[in-house]
Amino acid sequence: SQSRYPFLKGFDDLMQKQYKTVHTVEDYAKQLDISPKGLLKTLYQLNAARPSKIIGSKLLFEAKKMLAQTNKTAAEITFELGFNDPAYFARFFKKKTGMTPQQFRERFQEIDLKNG
């Protein structure tokens, strides 16, 4: 299926390499030589999620991974993932998960201790 969707793979490859520094649909669209609306439309035609949702999901996945697997502070994770403001990162995280980065880490550690 990858050969059928070279465009989707191109977007995904860019995002995997640049998710820490590039967060906007506009920046990815520019690199793919397409308008932001064109990127949205193309992904829609491929039954993929909206580009902003794909980018947000990648950032959330990496944030959860770092909270679970490292002792980095939420502020360190904020800047490592290319967010400029720890408060904004905390709001982004809470909106997506229903908990703060600290609550997520504590919940994850509880589960880990039970399963360990």
Side-chain angles (χ1 to χ4, degrees):
S1 121
Q2 279 183 346
S3 62
R4 286 181 55 211
Y5 299 124
F7 182 85
L8 187 57
K9 180 160 177 15
F11 173 59
D12 188 61
D13 287 349
L14 273 179
M15 196 191 53
Q16 295 301 331
K17 288 185 193 108
Q18 300 179 10
Y19 68 89
K20 289 182 179 180
T21 55
V22 179
H23 293 183
T24 69
V25 173
E26 292 77 13
D27 286 338
Y28 285 108
K30 189 183 286 181
Q31 291 183 72
L32 292 163
D33 204 24
I34 191 171
S35 71
K37 213 174 243 180
L39 177 57
L40 179 70
K41 189 175 163 192
T42 303
L43 293 176
Y44 177 79
Q45 290 167 343
L46 296 170
N47 287 327
R50 291 188 323 273
S52 58
K53 188 171 170 76
I54 294 170
I55 296 162
S57 295
K58 175 64 176 169
L59 289 166
L60 184 64
F61 173 79
E62 295 299 332
K64 285 178 171 180
K65 196 163 84 173
M66 283 192 246
L67 286 164
Q69 297 175 358
T70 75
N71 291 322
K72 291 180 180 172
T73 66
E76 288 172 319
I77 292 169
T78 295
F79 297 117
E80 191 167 324
L81 289 178
F83 290 91
N84 295 325
D85 176 14
Y88 176 79
F89 171 72
R91 283 193 306 275
F92 163 84
F93 193 90
K94 184 158 187 165
K95 185 179 168 194
K96 303 274 187 199
T97 65
M99 55 186 110
T100 67
Q102 189 59 38
Q103 289 168 329
F104 177 85
R105 177 173 272 156
E106 289 164 8
R107 175 100 28 103
F108 185 85
Q109 286 169 342
E110 279 172 28
I111 292 166
D112 215 32
L113 289 172
K114 284 179 194 161
N115 294 337

